[in-house]
Amino acid sequence: MRGRKPRRSRRALWTRLTILAFTTAACASNAPQDTLKPEGPVARQADNLFKPVFWIAVAIFVLVEGAVVYFSWHFRRRSDADAPKQIHGNKRLEILWTILPAALMAGIAIPTVITIFDVAQRPTGADVLNVKVTGHQWWWEYEYTELKTQGGQPIKTANELVIPTGRWVYLSMTSTDVIHSFWVPKLAGKQDVIPNKITNLKLLAEHAGVYRGQCAEFCAVSHANMRLRAIALSPADFDTWVRGQQRPAPLPTDLQVLSILTNPQTCAACHTIDGIRGAGGQELVQGVIGPNLTHFASRGTFAGSTFDLTAQNLFRWIDNPTAMKPLTSGHPGDAPTMRDYQLTRDQIDAIVAYLMSLR
Ligand code: CUA
């Protein structure tokens, strides 16, 4: 018996602290993924649905809870003498409280369904930027289908979706493994990204800026590390970015770096760097199951936008990726992921130096 009381009060204390922590966490003034501050027409459409529904719900809450409190107080049992008359059912009331919520639900459903179809509709006009999005455990791949590199391939990048301001972007999305969900709260609602199926989402950023997002569908161990950014640039800056992405990467001057990057047992098993060839100048078969690294250092983050791209972080990542981010759930069907290839410090330093030059 002894000791039980303090334990209970400690538990009560922890419960209160947890509730307090959650409450105060909700008050952040600089929340980068705030759905309540839309910065584009698609997010605003969702907001325009949310706000009236919220206030209708508030009104119903106040009415219903107010009635419950009022009735339980006003008609409370004061003595055994005024026990209430027992009744069974009231047809008129029951019809009323069936029809009213049904009408309300229908009223909410009509604009909601229209909006759901509308946000997946291909935007009209010739100026639409089409991007193919592929969800991978645990990073995002973007392919700018109509913007070709000097080698004639579509521009490919990862995790950071670079878009021009004021122009419609139409995403065609799929997944190579499990269901993910693409979500940049300030620009658009969530859209599931499903294997063997194409789902669509359109978005438009009104102002230049970095809009943070994340995968919003649980997709195993590193779901929380599957973040993303939409980076909106002015049309002129976007054109500059495109021209940069069109160029092939420079060859590494360090032959050791070249041999590691082009080794089909290590980097080249998963990653492509446009423009590099084998030491003898021969064409290479490079992997496409990991992020395209041709302009790796033009991105500000890596590994599912989880880490800032700095030389230190990149060193730690190549040295021991799973120490930074869980990369496999251990199931037999797991996708191959970044591994520790037992490189020496000098080798890693040389690779980091080369990758950080790929702007
Ligand atoms: Cu991908 Cu969660």
Side-chain angles (χ1 to χ4, degrees):
M1 287 302 277
R2 250 188 315 147
R4 183 171 284 183
K5 214 172 172 192
R7 200 180 304 152
R8 196 178 298 161
S9 66
R10 208 177 300 147
R11 198 183 302 155
L13 177 69
W14 277 114
T15 310
R16 264 177 237 149
L17 281 176
T18 310
I19 292 170
L20 184 69
F22 275 115
T23 315
T24 49
C27 297
S29 58
N30 63 338
Q33 291 186 191
D34 192 344
T35 46
L36 301 176
K37 289 177 189 141
E39 301 212 24
V42 180
R44 201 162 292 119
Q45 270 178 289
D47 199 51
N48 290 343
L49 286 176
F50 170 75
K51 283 209 177 104
V53 172
F54 177 78
W55 290 113
I56 291 169
V58 167
I60 291 171
F61 176 83
V62 170
L63 278 175
V64 172
E65 294 306 311
V68 168
V69 170
Y70 173 77
F71 288 133
S72 33
W73 176 255
H74 191 75
F75 296 107
R76 73 187 184 280
R77 187 172 186 162
R78 291 182 170 89
S79 69
D80 283 347
D82 61 21
K85 192 177 82 180
Q86 297 300 309
I87 53 159
H88 182 77
N90 181 320
K91 200 173 258 174
R92 223 182 278 169
L93 265 182
E94 282 175 24
I95 290 173
L96 186 73
W97 67 48
T98 305
I99 287 179
L100 269 185
L104 191 62
M105 286 296 143
I108 292 171
I110 292 166
T112 305
V113 172
I114 292 173
T115 306
I116 287 172
F117 282 100
D118 187 61
V119 296
Q121 193 88 57
R122 185 182 292 275
T124 47
D127 202 26
V128 178
L129 178 68
N130 288 295
V131 183
K132 197 176 138 192
V133 177
T134 308
H136 298 260
Q137 283 173 315
W138 290 273
W139 60 283
W140 298 96
E141 179 175 24
Y142 309 118
E143 191 179 317
Y144 293 75
T145 41
E146 289 129 16
L147 300 175
K148 299 281 163 41
T149 64
Q150 290 175 9
Q153 298 298 313
I155 289 175
K156 276 188 179 178
T157 181
N159 303 315
E160 297 179 5
L161 177 69
V162 179
I163 56 173
T165 53
R167 192 168 147 196
W168 278 110
V169 181
Y170 189 58
L171 306 180
S172 300
M173 311 194 284
T174 191
S175 164
T176 54
D177 35 55
V178 298
I179 301 176
H180 303 277
S181 181
F182 186 91
W183 188 36
V184 186
K186 290 193 173 192
L187 297 183
K190 293 170 191 169
Q191 175 61 60
D192 276 3
V193 175
I194 303 167
N196 303 314
K197 186 175 158 64
I198 306 283
T199 52
N200 297 101
L201 186 68
K202 64 181 172 192
L203 45 91
L204 185 146
E206 287 159 345
H207 313 288
V210 177
Y211 302 94
R212 290 213 219 172
Q214 65 183 74
C215 176
E217 176 69 41
F218 182 70
C219 54
V221 62
S222 256
H223 160 67
N225 296 314
M226 188 167 169
R227 304 180 200 172
L228 67 108
R229 283 160 193 225
I231 298 177
L233 303 176
S234 69
D237 288 347
F238 179 75
D239 289 343
T240 308
W241 177 82
V242 170
R243 280 195 296 278
Q245 300 289 311
Q246 286 171 325
R247 286 195 306 266
L251 271 180
T253 45
D254 185 331
L255 278 183
Q256 190 184 216
V257 170
L258 184 65
S259 81
I260 295 168
L261 288 176
T262 55
N263 183 345
Q265 305 297 318
T266 58
C267 306
C270 302
H271 300 284
T272 290
I273 300 174
D274 295 336
I276 64 170
R277 287 164 174 275
Q282 79 272 25
E283 289 278 353
L284 293 168
V285 179
Q286 299 188 80
V288 290
I289 56 176
N292 186 303
L293 301 179
T294 313
H295 297 282
F296 180 67
S298 71
R299 315 199 269 262
T301 55
F302 70 101
S305 257
T306 307
F307 308 106
D308 287 334
L309 181 56
T310 63
Q312 290 94 320
N313 281 343
L314 189 56
F315 185 99
R316 286 171 58 215
W317 177 251
I318 297 171
D319 189 35
N320 189 355
T322 47
M324 290 177 81
K325 168 174 171 175
L327 285 172
T328 170
S329 52
H331 294 307
D334 277 351
T337 56
M338 187 71 186
R339 289 208 300 271
D340 171 7
Y341 287 103
Q342 309 286 322
L343 304 173
T344 66
R345 292 192 71 88
D346 287 349
Q347 286 173 324
I348 298 175
D349 273 333
I351 290 173
V352 167
Y354 174 66
L355 290 178
M356 294 299 284
S357 77
L358 298 180
R359 300 198 58 82

